[in-house]
Amino acid sequence: MIFNRSKSQLPDTESALPGREGRPFQVGGTHLVLGNPVETQAPEGFGVAVFGLGCFWGEEKTFWEVPGVWSTSVGYAGGVTAHPTYDEVCSGRTGHAEVVRVIFDPAKVSYADLLKVFWENHDPTQGMRQGNDRGTQYRSIILTTTPEQQAEAEASRGAYQVKMTEAGYGEITTAIVPLERYYYAEDYHQQYLVKNPFGYCPLHATGVAYA
């Protein structure tokens, strides 16, 4: 029965929550650190990258601190349920991961640079968890927005597996899949650690360098 299903098991289309046709909350606004729009398309010539590496509060901060990143937002992706809420994602019945959407200027920071940040700032061998945060929403995942990103991300996973193995870690469990749909998280989650500077959201970096 679906109510007995573990939060560490991805739901299928039959057991996932049905979702809704439209988003039940507003986002909008200006990025509190970078000064650019939060809910926006990328400017012409800019790139979009989407990463899931645990609790998205701290991970958004990790990426907005990267020079060349134009805007960041947090949201939900990789699952089934349309326009989910945070509580629904936390239930484990949407299939979505907590993710960071990064809009970046490729003249200042490359996708390869962002992949390095991704790999070095969490433990990609933990499956459906990061540290004490357990469940499908905390899984390691890269959602690619171009075929070139897909190929580059897959190559980077292989390269980082060598480094992790040398350091005594097991198999990388990171999923790398094309992005189908990104759903913005509620406004109070956006730039959470600016609004709540003492908020708890630990990083789980292994200390293993990508290169």
Side-chain angles (χ1 to χ4, degrees):
M1 295 180 63
I2 58 176
F3 292 106
N4 292 329
R5 185 188 54 78
S6 167
K7 289 185 179 181
S8 293
Q9 178 183 346
L10 286 169
D12 56 25
T13 54
E14 293 183 359
S15 61
L17 294 172
R20 51 194 59 81
E21 292 185 3
R23 190 170 63 207
F25 51 82
Q26 297 296 315
V27 182
T30 300
H31 197 288
L32 297 175
V33 177
L34 300 175
N36 295 313
V38 172
E39 186 175 1
T40 183
Q41 298 299 313
E44 185 174 356
F46 281 41
V48 176
V50 180
F51 302 107
L53 54 164
C55 171
F56 55 16
W57 295 338
E59 302 303 355
E60 184 187 17
K61 181 175 184 290
T62 296
F63 283 101
W64 82 49
E65 291 178 339
V66 176
V69 168
W70 185 79
S71 186
T72 61
S73 65
V74 294
Y76 316 116
V80 178
T81 302
H83 298 286
T85 66
Y86 181 66
D87 287 343
E88 289 171 344
V89 172
C90 288
S91 77
R93 295 183 58 209
T94 69
H96 290 299
E98 294 187 15
V99 298
V100 182
R101 180 176 183 257
V102 181
I103 300 176
F104 63 99
D105 181 352
K108 297 178 180 178
V109 61
S110 68
Y111 185 62
D113 294 329
L114 297 177
L115 286 169
K116 175 180 169 65
V117 173
F118 170 80
W119 293 120
E120 292 185 349
N121 281 277
H122 76 304
D123 182 347
T125 70
Q126 294 201 337
M128 300 297 181
R129 59 184 281 256
Q130 278 295 300
N132 292 326
D133 292 329
R134 298 173 182 271
T136 55
Q137 78 196 78
Y138 300 113
R139 69 191 186 274
S140 177
I141 187 170
I142 300 173
L143 297 127
T144 58
T145 60
T146 67
E148 291 77 16
Q149 282 190 6
Q150 182 74 23
E152 192 168 356
E154 290 175 355
S156 75
R157 179 175 57 190
Y160 198 55
Q161 181 67 74
V162 173
K163 299 288 187 178
M164 293 294 281
T165 300
E166 290 174 348
Y169 286 86
E171 182 179 358
I172 289 174
T173 59
T174 305
I176 302 175
V177 296
L179 176 68
E180 293 185 2
R181 184 69 185 269
Y182 171 78
Y183 298 101
Y184 288 92
E186 294 85 340
D187 180 68
Y188 71 90
H189 290 298
Q190 309 296 335
Q191 298 92 64
Y192 182 87
L193 293 183
V194 176
K195 300 170 183 175
N196 302 274
F198 299 106
Y200 176 74
C201 190
L203 299 178
H204 297 284
T206 64
V208 178
Y210 174 69

